[in-house]
Amino acid sequence: MAASQTLPPPPFNSDVEIISVQVIDTKENQIQETDVNEFDYSQRGQWLRAAVLGANDGLVSVASLMMGVSSVKQDTRAVIVAGFAGLVAGACSMAIGEYVSVCTQRDVEVAQMRREKRKGGNDEKLPNPAQAAVASALAFAVGAVLPLLAAAFIRQHKLRITVVVSVASVALVVFGVVGALLGGTPVAKSTARVLVGGWMAMATTFGLTKLI
């Protein structure tokens, strides 16, 4: 019988293994970074729209309403009553509008799931109309109460108008900065857009009401 020969083990290439490990680590890091970036901005859209935009709408609407009343009435009580009525009406309008909008969106998503014959769907992933309505109403009220508090204790007519415009301007800047930071958009551009839009609304309401 021929003597059995022991074959030497295959050569071990450590360089190839190290390079493979580095490539795998790099790909995993890229995937993790992609997931983080997608989560930071895509998951914030729903509540960001209801909160920041709702507060901005409340601020601009009530401040403009108070400016319009102040253009023809110097009575502090009339301005405050008009602003409070605008707060309540606007909050209710925002809540109802948001509820109807989210209900429609929910119905569309459910119908799409049925058309695609998806089974075992999770209702938690669908939008919540009641939650969106409450968030919009509260956000509107938070923004609307700022000019009310600014004008509540000022009797002098011109000073009251100046304070309302000043407080509204500062709040608009804050809302613009917060919205830009949370949404990942340019801060200066977003803030300027929000501020100029608020000024235009207040000036238009003041001028047209005084003219009529």
Side-chain angles (χ1 to χ4, degrees):
M1 294 179 60
S4 60
Q5 296 181 355
T6 303
L7 297 177
F12 176 74
N13 194 339
S14 60
D15 295 336
V16 175
E17 184 177 357
I18 293 174
I19 293 175
S20 300
V21 173
Q22 291 177 349
V23 172
I24 294 174
D25 292 340
T26 303
K27 290 182 178 180
E28 290 179 353
N29 292 334
Q30 291 177 352
I31 294 174
Q32 292 177 356
E33 290 178 357
T34 302
D35 294 340
V36 171
N37 292 333
E38 290 179 356
F39 175 78
D40 283 344
Y41 302 112
S42 62
Q43 300 295 328
R44 293 174 177 170
Q46 187 69 25
W47 67 267
L48 177 61
R49 178 175 63 88
V52 176
L53 297 184
N56 184 78
D57 289 343
L59 173 66
V60 174
S61 298
V62 173
S64 299
L65 179 61
M66 295 174 65
M67 292 294 294
V69 175
S70 298
S71 66
V72 295
K73 277 278 189 178
Q74 298 187 4
D75 185 14
T76 304
R77 181 176 298 179
V79 175
I80 298 301
V81 170
F84 181 77
L87 186 155
V88 176
C92 293
S93 177
M94 289 288 293
I96 295 172
E98 190 71 14
Y99 184 85
V100 172
S101 176
V102 176
C103 282
T104 303
Q105 179 183 353
R106 184 187 181 95
D107 293 341
V108 171
E109 293 182 4
V110 170
Q112 182 65 24
M113 292 171 61
R114 291 177 178 174
R115 282 194 297 267
E116 296 178 357
K117 297 181 179 179
R118 297 177 181 175
K119 297 181 180 180
N122 188 2
D123 292 340
E124 293 181 356
K125 295 181 180 180
L126 297 174
N128 189 335
Q131 183 179 1
V134 172
S136 295
L138 290 177
F140 187 95
V142 169
V145 77
L146 296 177
L148 280 174
L149 293 178
F153 306 102
I154 300 177
R155 295 181 177 274
Q156 188 176 355
H157 177 62
K158 294 183 179 180
L159 179 60
R160 183 171 62 249
I161 294 178
T162 303
V163 171
V164 169
V165 174
S166 300
V167 171
S169 300
V170 173
L172 288 171
V173 171
V174 173
F175 292 156
V177 172
V178 172
L181 293 178
L182 293 179
T185 58
V187 175
K189 183 178 180 180
S190 299
T191 304
R193 182 167 54 237
V194 172
L195 182 60
V196 173
W199 284 346
M200 292 178 61
M202 289 186 287
T204 302
T205 306
F206 183 89
L208 290 179
T209 305
K210 189 174 183 62
L211 178 63
I212 293 175

